[in-house]
Amino acid sequence: MLLQAPHISTPSGNAPLLADVIVPLALSGTFTYLVPPALAGEVRQGSRVLVSFGKKKLYTAIVLRLPGTTPPEGVELKPILEVIDADPIVTAEQLELWQWLSAYYMCTIGEVMKAAMPSSLKLESETMIEVCPDATATEPREAEIIKALSGVKAMRLADLVKQFAADRRPIHAPLRRLIDQGLVKVSESLRQREKMPTITYVALTAEGEKETNCKGKNRAALLAHLQKLKASGAPDAERAALVAELPSNGATIAALRKKGLIYTYDRPADVAADDSSTEGELPQLAEAQLRAFHEICDSWQRHNVCLLHGVTSSGKTEIYIRLIARTLAEGKSVLYLLPEIALTTQITSRLSRVFGKRMGLYHSKLSDTARASLWRRQLSPEACQLILGARSALFLPYHNLGLIIVDEEHETSFKQQDPAPRYHARDAAIVLAARSGAKVLLGTATPSVESYHNATTAGKYGLVCLKERYGGATLPDIIVEDVGELRRKKLMKTPFSPRLIDDTRAVLDGGGQAIFFINRRGYTPVMECHTCGWTPRCVACDVPLTHHRQTGRLVCHYCGATYALPAACPCCGEHDLRGKGQGTEKIEEEVSRCFPQARPARMDLDTTRAKTAHEKIIEAFKHLKTNLLIGTQMVTKGLDFDHVGVVGILDADALLNRPDFRAHERAFQMMSQVAGRAGRRGGSRGHVVLQTKQPSLPVVAQIVGGDYESMFAGQIAERREFLFPPFCRLIVVCLKHRYESACEKAAEAMATLLRPSLGTAVLGPDRPAVGRVQYQHIRRLVVKVISPHTPQGVKALLLHARTQLMESPEGRGVAVFFDVDPI
């Protein structure tokens, strides 16, 4: 049942208590509500409150400030309906970070709230549709809607829309007509509130502690067990453990409770004490690691941020563990950020062996209930002192934060793309640390150009270098294979060069492992008619469809739509459809042909959709159940395996030929990282075979030599000359519309509005490489923030120009958003 929210006029002569609240919607600003006298003592900054928004909808809102903004005279305000929690669920520090993210990344604070909080903490009502008895309709679409609603008491509007989405005909207009005719009823239903997991404990009453003559064998055994635990000072027993370990059941516990000898109580699962957890010893550091540890600590005396530039397998994680232990010993908490969920499997086991239950895990693959439970735990006295997580872990509440570690700081996965806020977790972490008085450590073998510039030329960060691999291991030997020349000589009849085949066979025969990296999933990226050149494309997006042989379907990697594989070309009728290029599926097939001794595994988006898929693939490879891992960029990111002797980079040109000023930097980072998976333990030197048609490119020589400084020097010189980051800031203005002509006109109008103030700093508009996604045509402008303009001034100009565009005929129906510091 929908709670009613009557409008209450602001009484003249009195000063009612007002509250500004954040609603999880993409709407500018906050909204002011009246605080009813009955709730005056309960509404506080950070409280979750239930509010009526619009005509009927209910939302969970977060109180941003008290007292709220005084509205103009005569404005009618709605009251807050309910305070959901006894205590605030968002801290003042979190709200400050939300406001900074909203301002810096040019989005609404409601979008930040929506991204920050677990779904189960954001209640909202759902629109329910119900058909009236004996409802009939003559119009075909209306009749289809009535038929879909028949036989069910009520259906969610979202489910009804989804049911009719296949034929891509909107149902809102015919549904509105049915509502106006009284044939369909609409109501709002509040979603069920989250149920936090709890553990039931059993404890003795005062009478139970003294009882010595309990009747019944099972009751006596249970009572004696509890008395023994009490005498030893052990914590109260879990009910589930008692039932499992003793000859007792629920009836035995109920009988003793009825006699007043025991009582039961529930506690949130994540807050429950667990004394069974054990903590191990800190790892021993080698001389180079110990020197880096002390240099980092010294650097923090001068800079709040330190960049640790350590080659692959140099033992950076052991240094992180020492720094974490040092921070925890000072009574402060630590946030450890990773770019990918795949990395958490190995890092979790290493950290949990040292820090036990003091560590909490937070990322998107966890259930929403688990994330909400950890959020609540962080607000309790039993908060985790160490949080390990992906970028969303930034949004958790922290108490006395002392250190943030950003591992693999160069990774593009730290940047949120869609939806807003389009924030960079590394940069947001630095802001969070500055506001919390914490230190930041950025760790990587291949720093981003911006971070290395800040640590060297600009002097904003400290810099510590670690040039030696741990345990005496040597950096791998990188061999470049000229694929073009090999194919011209007809020496390469498979996706693998002769050198890669020989090295891989030798390693597998010797009991070792290999990794093949290709940054494309599926079987073949493009299908083509060999007669007329026709290529199947997505009807909603301007991209060719990728053939996935495992499912026998063509898939759009932008919108996810799938299509049947055509039996013949629709243009010429010929049946000769051929795949061009190769993805992970095809490489897996070729591996089975070329390497009979291989036990291959594939790690890409298709094989890691399940909740625990990452862990299973990594564990199987770690324990030698598989010996050849084929993967996309997932395999480049910090994974640590002892037995990898060969790494094959199968299509380096796909990375080198991107139309992006960061192309060579990204290629160096990705290929150097995947090369670093080889030979990570002392013994024989690892081998990397890099297959390319462009062996003479400078970046290829830099990768072979592991010469980051040379790559950085070349890139920084180019960016200085052409004014690209770090010598300017970039803001991308993205416009979307269903019709291409309307999108083009809006983009031109936006450019016209900006150029009088920004001049040549406005680049475009242009059509991106993929110019249409999910039926929406896209145009972009790139704005360089350069002197004499300031970032704040440019952002103000952009927001004002968007407002002007929205009010003009050219802006009708156009979506405009901003991407600050794009990657």
Side-chain angles (χ1 to χ4, degrees):
M1 176 66 76
L2 178 66
L3 298 174
Q4 296 298 315
H7 288 273
I8 300 178
S9 299
T10 305
S12 58
N14 294 323
L17 180 59
L18 306 178
D20 289 341
V21 305
I22 307 165
V23 179
L25 297 171
L27 298 172
S28 298
T30 56
F31 300 89
T32 305
Y33 282 78
L34 283 170
V35 180
L39 300 179
E42 301 177 38
V43 177
R44 289 176 280 169
Q45 185 187 43
S47 292
R48 249 188 345 158
V49 295
L50 193 65
V51 298
S52 172
F53 194 84
K55 292 184 178 180
K56 296 181 179 179
K57 295 286 286 186
L58 296 179
Y59 286 97
T60 295
I62 298 295
V63 177
L64 178 63
R65 66 177 69 89
L66 286 165
T69 306
T70 304
E73 187 70 25
V75 171
E76 292 186 322
L77 297 179
K78 295 179 181 179
I80 290 173
L81 300 174
E82 182 183 342
V83 179
I84 298 172
D85 306 287
D87 297 306
I89 204 154
V90 180
T91 65
E93 291 77 13
Q94 286 175 285
L95 291 173
E96 288 180 7
L97 181 65
W98 290 9
Q99 290 175 289
W100 178 83
L101 287 166
S102 172
Y104 187 85
Y105 291 104
M106 303 179 71
C107 63
T108 70
I109 196 168
E111 289 172 308
V112 178
M113 174 191 169
K114 193 168 185 177
M117 298 183 70
S119 296
S120 59
L121 297 182
K122 305 188 297 283
L123 306 174
E124 64 180 78
S125 59
E126 296 178 317
T127 303
M128 306 298 293
I129 307 295
E130 182 179 358
V131 67
C132 297
D134 303 323
T136 59
T138 55
E139 200 271 330
R141 194 62 166 173
E142 295 176 8
E144 291 174 14
I145 294 173
I146 290 175
K147 183 178 179 181
L149 294 171
S150 300
V152 295
K153 184 177 180 181
M155 183 183 292
R156 294 192 317 143
L157 175 59
D159 292 337
L160 184 66
V161 172
K162 187 176 181 180
Q163 189 171 326
F164 283 86
D167 58 9
R168 297 188 173 90
R169 285 189 295 157
I171 67 165
H172 292 88
L175 182 59
R176 171 55 59 190
R177 291 195 296 270
L178 290 172
I179 294 170
D180 293 341
Q181 295 169 31
L183 300 177
V184 166
K185 295 179 182 178
V186 181
S187 61
E188 292 291 318
S189 174
L190 194 64
R191 291 192 307 187
Q192 187 177 12
R193 298 185 183 182
E194 80 278 5
K195 293 182 179 179
M196 305 309 297
T198 59
I199 296 176
T200 301
Y201 289 85
V202 180
L204 290 168
T205 63
E207 293 77 8
E209 292 181 35
K210 303 171 185 175
E211 180 64 49
T212 58
N213 189 24
C214 185
K215 294 180 180 180
K217 182 179 178 180
N218 289 350
R219 297 180 192 179
L222 176 58
L223 199 63
H225 180 75
L226 292 173
Q227 289 171 343
K228 186 177 180 180
L229 289 177
K230 183 73 175 180
S232 67
D236 294 334
E238 293 183 23
R239 183 184 186 279
L242 291 176
V243 172
E245 297 169 8
L246 297 174
S248 59
N249 53 34
T252 306
I253 294 172
L256 290 177
R257 187 172 56 194
K258 188 175 181 180
K259 292 176 70 70
L261 301 177
I262 64 172
Y263 66 95
T264 61
Y265 63 93
D266 293 335
R267 293 180 69 183
D270 280 347
V271 180
D274 187 348
D275 289 353
S276 65
S277 61
T278 58
E279 298 183 10
E281 296 181 356
L282 294 175
Q284 295 297 314
L285 300 185
E287 182 180 347
Q289 291 174 309
L290 193 60
R291 185 168 58 250
F293 171 83
H294 290 303
E295 288 178 5
I296 292 167
C297 296
D298 292 342
S299 171
W300 280 334
Q301 301 299 316
R302 302 180 298 276
H303 304 279
N304 289 328
V305 182
C306 178
L307 174 65
L308 174 59
H309 181 196
V311 297
T312 56
S313 194
S314 57
K316 294 186 289 295
T317 303
E318 284 75 15
I319 297 173
Y320 300 158
I321 291 173
R322 278 297 185 98
L323 292 168
I324 291 168
R326 175 178 178 265
T327 306
L328 298 187
E330 295 172 352
K332 298 179 180 180
S333 59
V334 177
L335 170 59
Y336 189 140
L337 286 176
L338 291 165
E340 284 279 356
I341 297 166
L343 292 179
T344 60
T345 302
Q346 291 190 325
I347 299 296
T348 299
S349 61
R350 294 174 71 176
L351 295 184
S352 61
R353 285 197 296 267
V354 179
F355 301 107
K357 292 294 181 178
R358 291 194 286 173
M359 182 183 76
L361 194 62
Y362 194 86
H363 55 72
S364 61
K365 280 293 178 82
L366 295 174
S367 69
D368 188 74
T369 300
R371 281 180 282 149
S373 184
L374 183 59
W375 183 292
R376 289 183 178 277
R377 177 174 182 174
Q378 290 305 100
L379 293 166
S380 76
E382 292 90 353
C384 295
Q385 294 175 278
L386 166 63
I387 293 293
L388 172 66
R391 60 175 181 255
S392 57
L394 273 173
F395 295 118
L396 282 170
Y398 293 97
H399 175 68
N400 198 18
L401 188 63
L403 171 64
I404 300 178
I405 296 170
V406 184
D407 199 7
E408 309 294 350
E409 67 84 24
H410 66 279
E411 275 290 345
T412 57
S413 301
F414 278 125
K415 173 74 167 164
Q416 164 76 7
Q417 298 295 339
D418 282 309
R422 296 171 179 85
Y423 68 101
H424 199 298
R426 178 197 61 210
D427 300 339
I430 292 172
V431 172
L432 173 62
R435 292 174 180 271
S436 305
K439 303 298 183 183
V440 179
L441 180 63
L442 309 177
T444 178
T446 53
S448 65
V449 167
E450 288 89 341
S451 292
Y452 200 73
H453 173 78
N454 284 335
T456 52
T457 310
K460 294 180 181 179
Y461 303 164
L463 176 64
V464 174
C465 295
L466 193 57
K467 298 293 187 181
E468 303 173 22
R469 276 192 157 190
Y470 180 78
T474 56
L475 288 168
D477 181 26
I478 302 179
I479 302 102
V480 178
E481 289 281 72
D482 187 342
V483 173
E485 184 67 11
L486 288 171
R487 285 186 176 147
R488 187 183 68 80
K489 295 179 178 178
K490 298 183 180 180
L491 296 175
M492 190 170 166
K493 299 179 181 179
T494 71
F496 319 119
S497 67
R499 178 62 183 266
L500 180 57
I501 291 174
D502 292 342
D503 286 357
T504 302
R505 284 175 178 167
V507 165
L508 297 183
D509 289 340
Q513 295 174 302
I515 293 176
F516 287 175
F517 165 61
I518 181 166
N519 205 27
R520 286 176 176 166
R521 62 188 175 98
Y523 189 76
T524 53
V526 179
M527 295 291 290
E528 184 180 84
C529 174
H530 193 58
T531 303
C532 71
W534 172 81
T535 295
R537 305 181 73 87
C538 179
V539 299
C541 312
D542 282 344
V543 290
L545 297 171
T546 299
H547 179 208
H548 285 245
R549 176 168 283 192
Q550 189 171 0
T551 60
R553 306 281 291 179
L554 296 174
V555 180
C556 174
H557 285 177
Y558 280 80
C559 70
T562 64
Y563 302 81
L565 193 65
C569 174
C571 291
C572 67
E574 292 293 331
H575 293 76
D576 191 6
L577 294 175
R578 301 183 185 182
K580 297 181 65 177
Q582 56 216 9
T584 50
E585 280 188 7
K586 188 170 184 179
I587 297 301
E588 185 178 27
E589 181 180 274
E590 294 289 342
V591 160
S592 299
R593 286 202 196 106
C594 294
F595 308 104
Q597 69 274 57
R599 300 184 300 277
R602 177 162 55 92
M603 190 160 77
D604 56 25
L605 186 61
D606 299 315
T607 61
T608 57
R609 294 185 190 276
K611 184 177 179 181
T612 59
H614 283 104
E615 290 89 335
K616 290 178 180 177
I617 295 170
I618 291 169
E619 285 300 304
F621 195 67
K622 178 180 179 182
H623 293 102
L624 301 178
K625 294 178 182 178
T626 56
N627 61 2
L628 203 158
L629 184 62
I630 304 147
T632 57
Q633 57 182 322
M634 292 180 182
V635 302
T636 72
K637 300 180 180 181
L639 297 175
D640 187 12
F641 302 112
D642 292 347
H643 305 286
V644 176
V646 170
V647 168
I649 301 174
L650 304 184
D651 190 8
D653 301 301
L655 301 172
L656 296 168
N657 295 334
R658 293 173 56 207
D660 179 9
F661 73 93
R662 288 194 174 96
H664 281 193
E665 176 194 2
R666 297 286 186 241
F668 181 94
Q669 289 167 341
M670 196 169 292
M671 287 190 268
S672 296
Q673 288 286 342
V674 73
R677 302 314 106 202
R680 294 177 69 86
R681 296 296 177 266
S684 61
R685 189 180 187 186
H687 293 276
V688 178
V689 179
L690 191 159
Q691 299 183 172
T692 177
K693 296 176 183 176
Q694 306 170 85
S696 60
L697 284 178
V699 71
V700 174
Q702 292 159 0
I703 293 167
V704 172
D707 191 356
Y708 175 84
E709 287 75 13
S710 176
M711 185 278 295
F712 172 79
Q715 290 297 300
I716 207 73
E718 286 185 9
R719 297 188 191 187
R720 183 183 288 110
E721 181 178 356
F722 296 105
L723 276 182
F724 277 102
F727 301 104
C728 76
R729 309 296 284 271
L730 297 182
I731 302 175
V732 172
V733 185
C734 188
L735 301 94
K736 293 185 177 182
H737 196 279
R738 188 174 180 87
Y739 298 107
E740 186 171 18
S741 60
C743 192
E744 287 179 349
K745 289 178 183 178
E748 291 292 347
M750 187 73 173
T752 301
L753 289 169
L754 294 173
R755 285 203 172 97
S757 300
L758 300 176
T760 57
V762 180
L763 308 179
D766 68 350
R767 183 182 186 276
V770 179
R772 185 173 61 116
V773 176
Q774 292 184 315
Y775 295 101
Q776 295 290 309
H777 291 272
I778 305 168
R779 293 294 182 271
R780 300 188 321 159
L781 297 111
V782 178
V783 177
K784 289 184 175 181
V785 183
I786 50 180
S787 181
H789 299 288
T790 64
Q792 294 82 0
V794 172
K795 289 174 184 178
L797 284 170
L798 289 172
L799 291 170
H800 181 64
R802 181 173 67 177
T803 301
Q804 288 181 289
L805 179 67
M806 293 296 98
E807 293 173 351
S808 70
E810 292 85 355
R812 189 175 295 114
V814 178
V816 183
F817 63 85
F818 306 103
D819 186 4
V820 180
D821 299 337
I823 58 170

